[in-house]
Amino acid sequence: IDMSPGLMRMLFTFLSMGVMFLSVILILLARNRLKGFLRNFTTIIAYGLMIFSGLLVFVFVLMGPTS
């Protein structure tokens, strides 16, 4: 598939938002359902995903529009 740079950025931004949604679900799961080591592990993974996807969205927004 041949995609324009703008379409590729939009795709990565939507994927980043999907990862953010997944991390919110994992955080809620860890807080309400899990205990012990699994709770801590899930929380660390979820916050790591949240930070990573936030940085991706930030970078793509700072890149500005394509020409």
Side-chain angles (χ1 to χ4, degrees), residues 26-46:
L26 286 174
I27 290 168
L28 288 173
L29 177 74
R31 285 184 179 179
N32 295 325
R33 303 276 182 204
L34 301 176
K35 300 263 191 256
F37 171 75
L38 195 56
R39 178 181 184 170
N40 294 332
F41 180 73
T42 306
T43 303
I44 289 170
I45 295 297

Side-chain angles (χ1 to χ4, degrees), residues 12-58:
F12 277 112
T13 305
F14 282 145
L15 286 174
S16 296
M17 288 189 287
V19 171
M20 281 185 188
F21 181 74
L22 176 67
S23 66
V24 168
I25 297 298
L26 286 174
I27 290 168
L28 288 173
L29 177 74
R31 285 184 179 179
N32 295 325
R33 303 276 182 204
L34 301 176
K35 300 263 191 256
F37 171 75
L38 195 56
R39 178 181 184 170
N40 294 332
F41 180 73
T42 306
T43 303
I44 289 170
I45 295 297
Y47 279 112
L49 286 173
M50 181 73 77
I51 291 168
F52 176 70
S53 62
L55 287 174
L56 275 180
V57 169
F58 183 71

